[in-house]
Each structure stands twice: as C-alpha cells, then as structure tokens.
Short mmCIF file of all heavy atoms in Angstrom, two decimals:
data_model
loop_
_atom_site.label_atom_id
_atom_site.label_comp_id
_atom_site.label_asym_id
_atom_site.label_seq_id
_atom_site.Cartn_x
_atom_site.Cartn_y
_atom_site.Cartn_z
N SER V 1 0.45 -1.11 2.13
CA SER V 1 -1.00 -0.95 2.79
C SER V 1 -1.91 -0.06 1.73
O SER V 1 -2.98 -0.54 1.45
CB SER V 1 -0.78 -0.34 4.12
OG SER V 1 -2.16 -0.06 4.58
N LEU V 2 -1.34 1.04 1.37
CA LEU V 2 -2.17 1.88 0.47
C LEU V 2 -2.31 1.27 -0.94
O LEU V 2 -3.46 1.35 -1.51
CB LEU V 2 -1.50 3.30 0.28
CG LEU V 2 -2.27 4.31 -0.36
CD1 LEU V 2 -3.76 4.53 0.11
CD2 LEU V 2 -1.63 5.63 -0.43
N ARG V 3 -1.46 0.53 -1.46
CA ARG V 3 -1.53 -0.01 -2.77
C ARG V 3 -2.67 -1.13 -2.65
O ARG V 3 -3.47 -1.24 -3.57
CB ARG V 3 -0.23 -0.73 -3.13
CG ARG V 3 0.81 0.20 -3.57
CD ARG V 3 1.95 -0.50 -4.41
NE ARG V 3 2.60 -1.69 -3.76
CZ ARG V 3 3.59 -1.60 -2.99
NH1 ARG V 3 4.19 -0.46 -2.63
NH2 ARG V 3 4.02 -2.67 -2.49
N ARG V 4 -2.72 -1.75 -1.61
CA ARG V 4 -3.84 -2.80 -1.36
C ARG V 4 -5.11 -2.21 -1.42
O ARG V 4 -6.07 -2.67 -1.97
CB ARG V 4 -3.64 -3.67 -0.14
CG ARG V 4 -2.35 -4.68 -0.25
CD ARG V 4 -2.13 -5.34 1.07
NE ARG V 4 -1.09 -6.38 1.05
CZ ARG V 4 -0.55 -7.05 2.03
NH1 ARG V 4 -0.89 -6.72 3.26
NH2 ARG V 4 0.32 -7.92 1.82
N ARG V 5 -5.19 -1.01 -0.65
CA ARG V 5 -6.61 -0.30 -0.65
C ARG V 5 -6.89 0.20 -1.91
O ARG V 5 -8.14 -0.05 -2.39
CB ARG V 5 -6.30 0.93 0.30
CG ARG V 5 -6.09 0.51 1.81
CD ARG V 5 -6.18 1.83 2.62
NE ARG V 5 -6.04 1.54 4.01
CZ ARG V 5 -6.89 1.14 4.95
NH1 ARG V 5 -8.14 0.89 4.62
NH2 ARG V 5 -6.53 0.96 6.16
N LEU V 6 -5.89 0.71 -2.67
CA LEU V 6 -6.36 1.21 -4.12
C LEU V 6 -6.68 -0.05 -5.02
O LEU V 6 -7.74 0.24 -5.86
CB LEU V 6 -5.03 1.96 -4.70
CG LEU V 6 -4.71 3.25 -4.01
CD1 LEU V 6 -3.46 3.79 -4.37
CD2 LEU V 6 -5.84 4.26 -4.10
N LEU V 7 -6.01 -1.05 -4.85
CA LEU V 7 -6.45 -2.23 -5.80
C LEU V 7 -7.87 -2.71 -5.43
O LEU V 7 -8.56 -3.03 -6.31
CB LEU V 7 -5.36 -3.27 -5.66
CG LEU V 7 -4.04 -2.97 -6.31
CD1 LEU V 7 -3.04 -3.99 -5.95
CD2 LEU V 7 -4.11 -2.87 -7.83
N LYS V 8 -8.16 -2.82 -4.07
CA LYS V 8 -9.43 -3.26 -3.58
C LYS V 8 -10.45 -2.31 -4.14
O LYS V 8 -11.54 -2.75 -4.49
CB LYS V 8 -9.38 -3.41 -2.08
CG LYS V 8 -10.61 -4.15 -1.54
CD LYS V 8 -10.44 -4.14 0.06
CE LYS V 8 -11.72 -4.74 0.47
NZ LYS V 8 -11.67 -4.86 2.07
N ALA V 9 -10.21 -0.99 -4.03
CA ALA V 9 -11.13 -0.10 -4.44
C ALA V 9 -11.40 -0.17 -5.91
O ALA V 9 -12.50 0.00 -6.36
CB ALA V 9 -10.73 1.41 -4.15
N ALA V 10 -10.44 -0.33 -6.69
CA ALA V 10 -10.44 -0.43 -8.15
C ALA V 10 -11.34 -1.66 -8.45
O ALA V 10 -12.17 -1.67 -9.49
CB ALA V 10 -9.12 -0.50 -8.79
N ALA V 11 -11.32 -2.60 -7.74
CA ALA V 11 -12.03 -3.95 -8.11
C ALA V 11 -13.37 -4.05 -7.54
O ALA V 11 -14.28 -4.77 -7.93
CB ALA V 11 -11.25 -5.14 -7.42
N ALA V 12 -13.74 -2.96 -6.69
CA ALA V 12 -14.99 -2.87 -6.01
C ALA V 12 -16.14 -2.56 -7.11
O ALA V 12 -15.94 -1.80 -8.07
CB ALA V 12 -15.09 -1.95 -5.00
N LYS V 13 -17.30 -3.10 -6.86
CA LYS V 13 -18.37 -2.92 -7.86
C LYS V 13 -19.36 -1.78 -7.56
O LYS V 13 -20.06 -1.16 -8.35
CB LYS V 13 -19.26 -4.21 -8.01
CG LYS V 13 -18.46 -5.38 -8.42
CD LYS V 13 -17.87 -5.25 -9.76
CE LYS V 13 -17.15 -6.60 -10.22
NZ LYS V 13 -16.51 -6.40 -11.49
N THR V 14 -19.46 -1.38 -6.24
CA THR V 14 -20.28 -0.48 -5.78
C THR V 14 -19.53 0.67 -5.06
O THR V 14 -18.40 0.56 -4.63
CB THR V 14 -21.35 -0.94 -4.79
OG1 THR V 14 -20.70 -1.39 -3.46
CG2 THR V 14 -22.04 -2.13 -5.42
N THR V 15 -20.20 1.77 -4.89
CA THR V 15 -19.52 3.00 -4.27
C THR V 15 -19.26 2.63 -2.80
O THR V 15 -18.25 3.00 -2.20
CB THR V 15 -20.51 4.19 -4.31
OG1 THR V 15 -20.69 4.60 -5.65
CG2 THR V 15 -19.81 5.35 -3.63
N GLY V 16 -20.12 1.97 -2.22
CA GLY V 16 -19.96 1.60 -0.70
C GLY V 16 -18.83 0.71 -0.61
O GLY V 16 -18.08 0.90 0.39
N ASP V 17 -18.64 -0.32 -1.47
CA ASP V 17 -17.48 -1.23 -1.49
C ASP V 17 -16.12 -0.40 -1.64
O ASP V 17 -15.18 -0.66 -1.06
CB ASP V 17 -17.56 -2.29 -2.39
CG ASP V 17 -18.63 -3.31 -1.97
OD1 ASP V 17 -19.01 -3.25 -0.78
OD2 ASP V 17 -19.05 -4.04 -2.88
N LYS V 18 -16.19 0.61 -2.56
CA LYS V 18 -14.98 1.41 -2.79
C LYS V 18 -14.68 2.20 -1.57
O LYS V 18 -13.41 2.22 -1.19
CB LYS V 18 -15.25 2.28 -3.95
CG LYS V 18 -15.47 1.67 -5.31
CD LYS V 18 -15.74 2.69 -6.44
CE LYS V 18 -15.84 2.06 -7.71
NZ LYS V 18 -14.67 1.32 -8.31
N LEU V 19 -15.63 2.75 -0.89
CA LEU V 19 -15.50 3.52 0.31
C LEU V 19 -14.90 2.60 1.38
O LEU V 19 -14.08 2.93 2.27
CB LEU V 19 -16.61 4.25 0.80
CG LEU V 19 -17.06 5.39 -0.11
CD1 LEU V 19 -18.39 6.01 0.23
CD2 LEU V 19 -16.08 6.56 -0.28
N ALA V 20 -15.51 1.41 1.48
CA ALA V 20 -15.04 0.47 2.44
C ALA V 20 -13.59 0.05 2.53
O ALA V 20 -13.02 -0.26 3.46
CB ALA V 20 -15.90 -0.81 2.40
N ALA V 21 -13.08 0.09 1.20
CA ALA V 21 -11.57 -0.24 1.03
C ALA V 21 -10.78 0.72 1.89
O ALA V 21 -9.63 0.40 2.20
CB ALA V 21 -11.30 -0.15 -0.45
N PHE V 22 -11.16 1.93 2.18
CA PHE V 22 -10.41 2.95 2.91
C PHE V 22 -10.78 3.07 4.35
O PHE V 22 -10.29 3.94 5.13
CB PHE V 22 -10.54 4.27 2.24
CG PHE V 22 -9.98 4.31 0.81
CD1 PHE V 22 -10.74 4.05 -0.29
CD2 PHE V 22 -8.70 4.60 0.68
CE1 PHE V 22 -10.29 4.03 -1.54
CE2 PHE V 22 -8.10 4.56 -0.61
CZ PHE V 22 -8.90 4.36 -1.75
N LYS V 23 -11.56 2.08 4.87
CA LYS V 23 -11.92 2.01 6.29
C LYS V 23 -10.62 1.90 7.14
O LYS V 23 -9.80 1.02 6.86
CB LYS V 23 -12.76 0.93 6.61
CG LYS V 23 -13.43 0.94 8.15
CD LYS V 23 -14.47 -0.25 8.21
CE LYS V 23 -14.95 -0.22 9.79
NZ LYS V 23 -15.78 -1.27 9.93
N GLY V 24 -10.32 2.77 8.10
CA GLY V 24 -9.19 2.68 9.03
C GLY V 24 -7.99 3.27 8.40
O GLY V 24 -6.91 3.18 8.96
N PHE V 25 -8.26 3.98 7.27
CA PHE V 25 -7.05 4.62 6.70
C PHE V 25 -6.30 5.60 7.62
O PHE V 25 -6.86 6.35 8.37
CB PHE V 25 -7.48 5.40 5.47
CG PHE V 25 -6.50 6.29 4.74
CD1 PHE V 25 -5.41 5.71 4.08
CD2 PHE V 25 -6.46 7.58 4.97
CE1 PHE V 25 -4.40 6.61 3.52
CE2 PHE V 25 -5.45 8.44 4.45
CZ PHE V 25 -4.49 7.85 3.58
N LYS V 26 -4.93 5.51 7.61
CA LYS V 26 -4.00 6.32 8.31
C LYS V 26 -3.13 7.26 7.45
O LYS V 26 -2.70 6.90 6.36
CB LYS V 26 -3.24 5.56 9.27
CG LYS V 26 -4.02 4.71 10.24
CD LYS V 26 -3.13 3.83 11.10
CE LYS V 26 -3.81 2.91 12.07
NZ LYS V 26 -2.85 2.05 12.80
N LEU V 27 -2.86 8.51 7.81
CA LEU V 27 -2.09 9.34 6.95
C LEU V 27 -0.68 8.84 6.79
O LEU V 27 -0.09 9.06 5.88
CB LEU V 27 -1.95 10.76 7.61
CG LEU V 27 -3.27 11.59 7.68
CD1 LEU V 27 -2.92 12.92 8.45
CD2 LEU V 27 -3.59 11.97 6.13
N SER V 28 -0.25 8.03 7.79
CA SER V 28 1.09 7.31 7.58
C SER V 28 1.15 6.47 6.40
O SER V 28 2.22 6.20 5.90
CB SER V 28 1.43 6.59 8.97
OG SER V 28 0.51 5.45 9.09
N GLU V 29 0.02 6.03 5.81
CA GLU V 29 0.08 5.18 4.76
C GLU V 29 0.37 5.89 3.42
O GLU V 29 0.77 5.29 2.44
CB GLU V 29 -1.29 4.46 4.55
CG GLU V 29 -1.67 3.57 5.62
CD GLU V 29 -3.15 2.89 5.44
OE1 GLU V 29 -3.62 2.79 4.27
OE2 GLU V 29 -3.78 2.70 6.43
N LEU V 30 0.46 7.21 3.58
CA LEU V 30 0.89 8.03 2.40
C LEU V 30 2.45 8.04 2.22
O LEU V 30 2.88 8.47 1.21
CB LEU V 30 0.36 9.43 2.48
CG LEU V 30 -1.12 9.61 2.50
CD1 LEU V 30 -1.56 11.13 2.65
CD2 LEU V 30 -1.68 9.20 0.96
N LYS V 31 3.13 7.63 3.19
CA LYS V 31 4.57 7.52 3.12
C LYS V 31 4.87 6.61 1.98
O LYS V 31 4.56 5.44 1.87
CB LYS V 31 5.25 7.07 4.50
CG LYS V 31 6.69 7.05 4.45
CD LYS V 31 7.33 6.60 5.66
CE LYS V 31 8.76 6.56 5.71
NZ LYS V 31 9.39 6.05 6.95
N PRO V 32 5.72 7.10 0.91
CA PRO V 32 6.11 6.32 -0.20
C PRO V 32 7.27 5.38 0.17
O PRO V 32 7.91 5.47 1.04
CB PRO V 32 6.53 7.47 -1.14
CG PRO V 32 7.06 8.56 -0.35
CD PRO V 32 6.28 8.54 0.93
N ASP V 33 7.27 4.35 -0.75
CA ASP V 33 8.43 3.39 -0.75
C ASP V 33 9.42 3.85 -1.81
O ASP V 33 9.18 4.01 -2.98
CB ASP V 33 7.95 1.94 -1.10
CG ASP V 33 7.24 1.39 0.22
OD1 ASP V 33 7.48 1.83 1.31
OD2 ASP V 33 6.55 0.30 -0.14
N PHE V 34 10.78 4.08 -1.33
CA PHE V 34 11.78 4.42 -2.35
C PHE V 34 12.50 3.18 -2.76
O PHE V 34 12.48 2.11 -1.95
CB PHE V 34 12.70 5.36 -1.69
CG PHE V 34 12.19 6.69 -1.50
CD1 PHE V 34 11.40 7.03 -0.21
CD2 PHE V 34 12.27 7.70 -2.44
CE1 PHE V 34 10.92 8.32 -0.05
CE2 PHE V 34 11.85 8.98 -2.28
CZ PHE V 34 11.02 9.24 -0.98
N PRO V 35 13.11 3.10 -3.95
CA PRO V 35 13.92 1.90 -4.36
C PRO V 35 15.01 1.64 -3.43
O PRO V 35 15.71 2.57 -2.74
CB PRO V 35 14.53 2.34 -5.56
CG PRO V 35 13.55 3.43 -6.10
CD PRO V 35 13.17 4.15 -4.96
N GLY V 36 15.13 0.42 -2.92
CA GLY V 36 16.34 0.01 -2.05
C GLY V 36 17.51 -0.59 -2.85
O GLY V 36 17.25 -1.17 -3.91
N VAL V 37 18.60 -0.63 -2.13
CA VAL V 37 19.82 -1.17 -2.73
C VAL V 37 20.23 -2.47 -1.83
O VAL V 37 21.27 -2.98 -2.21
CB VAL V 37 20.99 -0.23 -2.83
CG1 VAL V 37 20.73 0.93 -3.74
CG2 VAL V 37 21.27 0.43 -1.53
N ALA V 38 19.43 -2.82 -0.93
CA ALA V 38 19.88 -3.88 -0.13
C ALA V 38 19.45 -5.26 -0.84
O ALA V 38 18.51 -5.30 -1.63
CB ALA V 38 19.10 -3.89 1.21
N GLU V 39 20.22 -6.15 -0.57
CA GLU V 39 19.96 -7.62 -1.18
C GLU V 39 18.74 -8.12 -0.41
O GLU V 39 18.56 -8.20 0.77
CB GLU V 39 21.16 -8.63 -0.85
CG GLU V 39 22.47 -8.17 -1.74
CD GLU V 39 22.15 -8.57 -3.26
OE1 GLU V 39 21.33 -9.35 -3.52
OE2 GLU V 39 22.92 -7.84 -3.99
N PRO V 40 17.71 -8.63 -1.30
CA PRO V 40 16.49 -9.03 -0.68
C PRO V 40 16.66 -10.27 0.32
O PRO V 40 15.88 -10.41 1.21
CB PRO V 40 15.58 -9.43 -1.89
CG PRO V 40 16.23 -8.60 -3.08
CD PRO V 40 17.68 -8.40 -2.64
N ARG V 41 17.59 -11.09 -0.01
CA ARG V 41 17.78 -12.20 0.84
C ARG V 41 18.56 -12.05 1.95
O ARG V 41 18.63 -13.06 2.92
CB ARG V 41 18.35 -13.42 -0.08
CG ARG V 41 17.38 -13.74 -1.24
CD ARG V 41 17.86 -14.90 -1.94
NE ARG V 41 16.84 -15.31 -2.96
CZ ARG V 41 15.81 -16.13 -2.76
NH1 ARG V 41 15.68 -16.77 -1.68
NH2 ARG V 41 14.91 -16.36 -3.69
N THR V 42 19.32 -11.05 2.15
CA THR V 42 20.14 -10.85 3.36
C THR V 42 19.78 -9.51 4.12
O THR V 42 20.06 -9.30 5.28
CB THR V 42 21.62 -10.74 3.05
OG1 THR V 42 21.83 -9.62 2.11
CG2 THR V 42 22.02 -11.95 2.23
N GLY V 43 19.08 -8.53 3.41
CA GLY V 43 18.80 -7.25 3.94
C GLY V 43 20.03 -6.35 4.08
O GLY V 43 19.94 -5.27 4.55
N LYS V 44 21.16 -6.73 3.70
CA LYS V 44 22.34 -5.99 3.64
C LYS V 44 22.75 -5.32 2.21
O LYS V 44 22.46 -5.92 1.30
CB LYS V 44 23.56 -6.85 4.04
CG LYS V 44 23.41 -7.53 5.49
CD LYS V 44 24.36 -8.63 5.68
CE LYS V 44 25.77 -8.13 5.52
NZ LYS V 44 26.80 -9.23 5.95
N SER V 45 23.13 -4.10 2.43
CA SER V 45 23.60 -3.39 1.27
C SER V 45 24.92 -4.06 0.53
O SER V 45 25.60 -4.82 1.21
CB SER V 45 23.85 -1.95 1.48
OG SER V 45 25.08 -1.84 2.28
N MET V 46 25.14 -3.71 -0.70
CA MET V 46 26.40 -4.22 -1.32
C MET V 46 27.50 -3.66 -0.57
O MET V 46 28.53 -4.48 -0.45
CB MET V 46 26.22 -3.58 -2.71
CG MET V 46 27.54 -4.33 -3.58
SD MET V 46 27.38 -3.72 -5.36
CE MET V 46 26.02 -4.54 -5.94
#
C-alpha cells in the first residue's frame, strides 16, 4: 500500500497531486514487509 502511494507521489506533476497520493494514509501502512521463506505457489514453508 505504501509503495503504491510513494510511486504515485513520485510520478505526480504537482504538489497537490503529490499530497493526494497520501489521502487516507494509515499508520499501519508503515509496517514493513520482511522476506518470506514460504513457497509462493503453496504458501507453505520448506
């Protein structure tokens, strides 16, 4: 979610559009993604 906002803001041409990219932002979006060891096609670990 946050990555999409940042990419949208980076592509925006105006300050208003950049700010609009963060409309509805929640603190929970700051939670990072850690590397996973699960198989993408099964969701199960080795």
Side-chain angles (χ1 to χ4, degrees):
S1 177
L2 184 54
R3 289 201 304 272
R4 287 174 176 173
R5 292 184 184 278
L6 291 171
L7 290 170
K8 186 177 180 179
K13 302 297 185 183
T14 67
T15 301
D17 288 341
K18 291 181 183 295
L19 293 173
F22 294 93
K23 184 179 180 180
F25 170 77
K26 300 176 182 178
L27 288 176
S28 60
E29 295 179 32
L30 292 173
K31 183 180 178 181
D33 283 343
F34 292 87
V37 293
E39 290 289 336
R41 294 185 178 270
T42 65
K44 296 166 61 174
S45 71
M46 187 178 291

